[in-house]
Amino acid sequence: MPDGSTWGVFAAEAPGLRVDAHATGDGTVRLSGTKPWCSLASTLSHALVTAHAGDERVLVAVDLRHAGVTAHDDVWVARGMPDVPSGPVDLDGVPGSLVGEPGWYLRRPGFAWGGIGVAACWWGGAVGLARVLRSLAASRPGSELLQAALGATVADLAGAEDALADAAARIDADRPGTDWAFEAQAVRARVRRAVDAVRHRVVATIGPAPLTADPAVAARVADLELYVLQDHGARDLARAGRMVLERGGVAW
């Protein structure tokens, strides 16, 4: 790893976009194609990029300053997370070094653990909105509607926190044979539901004024609304259902 280098990990996929790794014969590969959702690609020096190599996907270390790399920050027009442009990156014959064996990056337990870590970030964003609601409720101590909204929010966040804490304990225990892909999917679904409920409730309860007059509140709502879409909703739930049908994963 070069001194002073800054790294990203670009492992997302999107319909119609693909990066292929072509062997060069000297143990390295060259990448060609377009990688979506590459956060801060224009400001980082290097990245680990997943690419297709036959029927497998490989992880490749690349220099983002290579002439064959083109980052498209201009397509990032999101109001949420505006300071983290995550546009696509074009790769045209970019040389890179393989990291691990084919398939290793996506099959290792740590990949699923990272997905749970993303859910923890969702939870943290929802906690920030809950604090906005708590402050409003504290300023109007006679409002039972605000108190009820706060109570429901506390319950949602507590349920999501329990899911995350239980997952963390099981990760630390590292029991052999755990189906981490399924476990991560289940935890993410539980947290997503709680976070969505909190976000909808807080926005409906505080009304439009903070969203139009308080930059911090408006940013929290926009950031969380966008970031939580890393979960793919019904498609991810369908994936969990397929896992149950194909290999079990539940006790009932």
Side-chain angles (χ1 to χ4, degrees):
M1 184 179 295
D3 290 341
S5 59
T6 53
W7 289 73
V9 178
F10 305 149
E13 301 283 343
L17 301 180
R18 176 184 172 107
V19 174
D20 289 299
H22 305 283
T24 61
D26 61 0
T28 63
V29 297
R30 287 189 176 270
L31 301 184
S32 295
T34 299
K35 197 67 173 172
W37 307 111
C38 298
S39 299
L40 302 175
S42 63
T43 59
L44 299 171
S45 66
H46 293 75
L48 297 174
V49 181
T50 56
H52 293 264
D55 294 331
E56 289 279 14
R57 274 189 283 176
V58 293
L59 186 67
V60 184
V62 301
D63 185 342
L64 294 175
R65 296 166 297 190
H66 186 273
V69 176
T70 303
H72 295 281
D73 287 354
D74 54 303
V75 306
W76 187 253
V77 298
R79 295 301 180 263
M81 304 178 73
D83 297 327
V84 189
S86 301
V89 168
D90 294 330
L91 303 162
D92 184 8
V94 177
S97 302
L98 292 172
V99 179
E101 297 296 322
W104 163 79
Y105 177 71
L106 298 177
R107 286 196 291 260
R108 64 193 175 89
F111 184 77
W113 298 349
I116 295 172
V118 170
C121 294
W122 301 338
W123 180 85
V127 168
L129 286 183
R131 290 171 177 162
V132 173
L133 180 59
R134 182 176 64 185
S135 295
L136 182 61
S139 70
R140 302 177 187 175
S143 174
E144 288 192 345
L145 290 178
L146 287 175
Q147 293 166 6
L150 181 59
T153 296
V154 168
D156 285 331
L157 290 175
E161 185 178 14
D162 286 346
L164 291 166
D166 179 63
R170 286 184 286 120
I171 288 171
D172 289 343
D174 196 16
R175 296 186 180 90
T178 301
D179 186 347
W180 281 112
F182 174 78
E183 295 293 337
Q185 198 69 73
V187 171
R188 285 166 62 92
R190 291 175 65 186
V191 175
R192 167 73 190 271
R193 288 184 176 188
V195 168
D196 278 348
V198 169
R199 178 169 52 84
H200 286 301
R201 185 183 303 112
V202 170
V203 169
T205 302
I206 65 176
L211 298 177
T212 59
D214 189 325
V217 174
R220 282 187 182 277
V221 172
D223 289 351
L224 184 58
E225 184 174 25
L226 179 63
Y227 192 36
V228 79
L229 291 176
Q230 283 199 17
D231 176 80
H232 299 118
R235 283 186 294 163
D236 278 351
L237 292 175
R239 180 169 178 259
R242 286 193 299 273
M243 290 178 180
V244 172
L245 293 175
E246 293 169 359
R247 61 200 197 215
V250 294
W252 39 264

